[in-house]
């Protein structure tokens, strides 16, 4: 849930995460264009920034391969992914593992 939320925080899963973690969100507001956006606490913002930085290091948020690498490592783990001939180099594996440790804490809070 948290990875999907981080991947696109303005889509479907926003309301789910907001309903489960209401103390992490402020009241909805509007930016200059009138589009709704959310206000989040500093810790959730830091997690989002960590996600964006990790995805950037893996090739960008629009790179399907970067998303797949994160999800594969989340599901099967770094060691299993590498033993199956996973595509992530060890430096990328460490970066993703660091992100997933951060996401795990939030998953427990959900």
């Amino acid at each position: 849930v948290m990875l999907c939320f981080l991947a696109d925080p303005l889509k479907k899963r926003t309301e789910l995460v907001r309903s489960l973690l209401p103390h992490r969100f402020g009241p909805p507001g509007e930016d200059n264009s009138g589009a709704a956006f959310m206000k989040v606490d500093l810790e959730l913002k830091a997690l989002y920034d960590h996600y964006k930085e990790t995805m950037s290091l893996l090739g960008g948020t629009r790179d399907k391969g970067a998303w797949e690498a994160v999800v594969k490592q989340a599901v099967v783990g770094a060691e299993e992914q590498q033993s199956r001939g996973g595509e992530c180099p060890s430096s990328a594996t460490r970066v993703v593992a660091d992100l997933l440790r951060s996401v795990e804490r939030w998953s427990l809070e959900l």
Side-chain angles (χ1 to χ4, degrees):
V1 171
M2 287 305 291
L3 281 176
C4 291
F5 168 73
L6 293 170
D8 199 351
L10 298 178
K11 293 290 181 180
K12 301 178 208 175
R13 288 166 191 86
T14 300
E15 287 308 314
L16 173 62
V17 174
R18 184 190 302 267
S19 70
L20 295 171
L21 302 173
H23 58 286
R24 297 292 187 173
F25 292 83
E30 292 191 5
D31 64 12
N32 293 335
S33 68
F37 74 99
M38 64 184 159
K39 297 177 184 175
V40 298
D41 74 357
L42 293 176
E43 288 182 88
L44 189 51
K45 172 75 167 92
L47 179 65
Y48 177 72
D49 291 344
H50 189 176
Y51 169 82
K52 295 292 275 186
E53 181 181 332
T54 300
M55 294 303 286
S56 177
L57 291 170
L58 294 175
T61 56
R62 297 184 189 269
D63 181 358
K64 188 176 179 183
W67 173 253
E68 288 177 1
V70 171
V71 172
K72 280 182 186 177
Q73 190 165 326
V75 172
V76 299
E79 293 81 21
E80 182 68 21
Q81 185 177 359
Q82 288 175 340
S83 72
R84 291 181 180 187
E87 301 158 6
C88 274
S90 62
S91 61
T93 300
R94 284 191 299 272
V95 169
V96 172
D98 187 42
L99 171 66
L100 293 176
R101 277 190 295 277
S102 297
V103 169
E104 183 176 14
R105 174 178 109 41
W106 286 89
S107 295
L108 292 172
E109 188 173 336
L110 287 176

